[in-house]
Amino acid sequence: MEFQKTALILIGYQNDYFSPNGILYGVVEESSKVTNVISNTVHLLECLTYTPTLIVTTPIFFTPNYEELIEPIGILKTIKESNAFQMGTPGSEAIEALHCFQDRILEVPGKRGFNAFINTNLDEILKQHGIADVVIAGAVTSICIDSTGRSAHEKGYHVTIVSDCTSARTVFEQEFYCNSIFPLYADVMTHTDLLSRLELKVTA
């Protein structure tokens, strides 16, 4: 892996998932606490900030009447019914822990579902930057992380899932995906192992 050809894609780092007051905080709370997702992600960003690594965030937003969702089912139905991720609300905003990196993170809007490549120009941006390696972090492991990871693989990128920077609905789900699903199409490693692969000196 080379910094110049690597992109870190941040998915779902928004208050409705990761803030204690977030509407869907309970969905990822258990797994987040076990893997220390936020602190690990902050450490990863601190180490990558002064490298040429492309850092991208793909937030999910909806209009107040959720006109983007036509007869949603599953988690998208839950999002609509609970009024989560409404554009302009505190819940849709990036978590406070990422604010200090905002000048370093490129926001790619348009995500309305699971796959960060759908309805966005993410693929175009990655190609413009000559990206070969895609690193994925965020939530939810079994849905957006998996969907985006598979899509990146199918588009020809080498995919890495950061196991201690991703959060599932349960600890079991997190372990199952990291041990049994992701390895089918991606490398799975902790953020410190990733930094070592990128030959960055890791500090506590």
Side-chain angles (χ1 to χ4, degrees):
M1 298 177 73
E2 302 175 35
F3 293 120
Q4 294 88 344
K5 296 181 179 180
T6 300
L8 171 62
I9 301 177
L10 305 173
I11 299 176
Y13 285 91
Q14 294 164 263
N15 288 326
D16 271 340
Y17 270 148
F18 287 108
S19 169
N21 296 323
I23 293 173
L24 299 178
Y25 179 67
V27 172
V28 297
E29 180 183 12
E30 180 184 11
S31 177
S32 294
K33 287 181 176 178
V34 172
T35 59
N36 297 313
V37 168
I38 300 303
S39 59
N40 292 335
T41 301
V42 168
H43 183 229
L44 178 61
L45 289 171
E46 288 173 343
C47 293
L48 294 180
T49 292
Y50 299 106
T51 73
T53 306
L54 177 65
I55 305 175
V56 173
T57 184
T58 59
I60 188 168
F61 299 118
F62 295 101
T63 52
N65 62 359
Y66 293 89
E67 62 185 13
E68 303 90 346
L69 298 179
I70 308 299
E71 297 184 359
I73 60 174
I75 193 170
L76 291 178
K77 182 179 180 182
T78 299
I79 287 174
K80 181 177 181 179
E81 291 177 344
S82 62
N83 296 318
F85 300 116
Q86 278 193 10
M87 191 177 299
T89 64
S92 69
E93 295 176 356
I95 59 173
E96 185 176 356
L98 298 191
H99 289 181
C100 61
F101 303 103
Q102 61 183 0
D103 292 338
R104 184 64 177 80
I105 299 175
L106 174 64
E107 181 174 312
V108 178
K111 185 173 181 287
R112 298 290 184 270
F114 306 149
N115 186 347
F117 286 94
I118 300 297
N119 202 47
T120 72
N121 64 342
L122 178 59
D123 189 37
E124 179 182 347
I125 290 172
L126 297 180
K127 285 181 168 56
Q128 288 174 348
H129 285 80
I131 298 300
D133 292 276
V134 166
V135 178
I136 302 177
V140 174
T141 297
S142 60
I143 305 171
C144 295
I145 303 302
D146 184 43
S147 182
T148 301
R150 290 173 190 248
S151 183
H153 169 73
E154 291 165 353
K155 292 178 183 298
Y157 298 103
H158 179 269
V159 180
T160 298
I161 309 292
V162 191
S163 59
D164 61 349
C165 292
T166 50
S167 184
R169 296 174 299 169
T170 65
V171 174
F172 171 80
E173 184 177 272
Q174 177 72 12
E175 293 177 348
F176 177 72
Y177 269 78
C178 287
N179 294 332
S180 302
I181 302 299
F182 293 149
L184 297 175
Y185 63 83
D187 284 334
V188 182
M189 63 186 73
T190 65
H191 80 285
T192 52
D193 287 339
L194 172 65
L195 293 171
S196 295
R197 178 166 293 192
L198 286 167
E199 298 184 349
L200 261 183
K201 182 179 180 181
V202 179
T203 56

